[in-house]
Amino acid sequence: MDDSRSATSYFDQHRPRVTAVIPVLKAMSGELLAQVGEEQLRALFRATGVQIGESYPVGKIERLGELEQVAQTWLAANDWGWLKIEHHEDAVDFVHGDSPLVAWFGEAAMGWSSALFEGLYAAWIRQLGADERLQLRQVRQADRPVQELRYRLSHESRFTQQAGG
């Protein structure tokens, strides 16, 4: 085999084919939902996000502002959107924008696929030393576009109160 054909073959096998996988992901999301169900898919995607967060640790940082910077860099490098951390009196919101999830899985999959970022951010805050009583959960806001996902970091009791009342 000549060198030019060998080089072409190497590049064809090793360059990313991001757009080629999108039809596969969309078809797979429909099949998964038909066979597994939304609640199980949400748990699967959250666990997947946790695994990604553990595979790509944030390093030796101590503050949420530093986490925001590290996350911005990582998300941008992977074309996964952006993160803004908002501090409130009794909670901290992680606002994720420009997510690729709609492109990957379709808008109908946002109810479960958005758990990917919930798991990712939860893993990273655990690396900062947050204990199990401090939880990160997605909160839905009807007035927000689907491209902006919101996750709230708060004490577990706040989520229990909201679920019961």
Side-chain angles (χ1 to χ4, degrees):
M1 181 176 347
D2 68 42
D3 287 338
S4 65
R5 212 167 145 210
S6 175
T8 302
S9 176
Y10 173 83
F11 286 116
D12 284 345
Q13 292 175 9
H14 293 90
R15 74 174 177 213
R17 296 188 181 270
V18 177
T19 56
V21 77
I22 290 175
V24 173
L25 292 173
K26 283 186 178 178
M28 190 169 47
S29 74
E31 284 300 313
L32 283 169
L33 186 58
Q35 296 189 29
V36 178
E38 189 166 329
E39 188 175 318
Q40 292 86 358
L41 284 174
R42 186 159 180 77
L44 174 66
F45 269 67
R46 190 179 198 292
T48 301
V50 168
Q51 187 171 9
I52 293 168
E54 290 171 352
S55 296
Y56 297 94
V58 293
K60 298 204 180 278
I61 60 173
E62 298 177 6
R63 296 186 186 95
L64 286 176
E66 293 171 294
L67 175 59
E68 183 178 37
Q69 292 171 349
V70 168
Q72 286 282 32
T73 301
W74 192 86
L75 293 167
N78 288 287
D79 198 20
W80 279 23
W82 51 263
L83 173 68
K84 178 181 170 189
I85 297 178
E86 297 176 349
H87 300 268
H88 303 285
E89 188 174 311
D90 60 347
V92 175
D93 284 358
F94 285 54
V95 181
H96 186 104
D98 199 22
S99 161
L101 296 174
V102 170
W104 290 349
F105 304 110
E107 194 164 334
M110 288 304 290
W112 50 268
S113 65
S114 57
L116 180 78
F117 293 113
E118 185 180 273
L120 175 67
Y121 298 140
W124 284 345
I125 64 165
R126 294 284 172 262
Q127 292 170 24
L128 292 177
D131 68 24
E132 293 298 319
R133 293 173 301 194
L134 195 58
Q135 295 185 3
L136 183 102
R137 296 196 189 162
Q138 186 172 6
V139 291
R140 307 223 192 294
Q141 294 182 309
D143 62 334
R144 299 288 179 160
V146 71
Q147 293 82 9
E148 186 177 282
L149 305 168
R150 186 170 292 266
Y151 305 90
R152 184 150 294 147
L153 178 63
S154 189
H155 190 271
E156 65 186 355
S157 63
R158 180 157 189 236
F159 295 112
T160 306
Q161 291 168 355
Q162 288 176 350

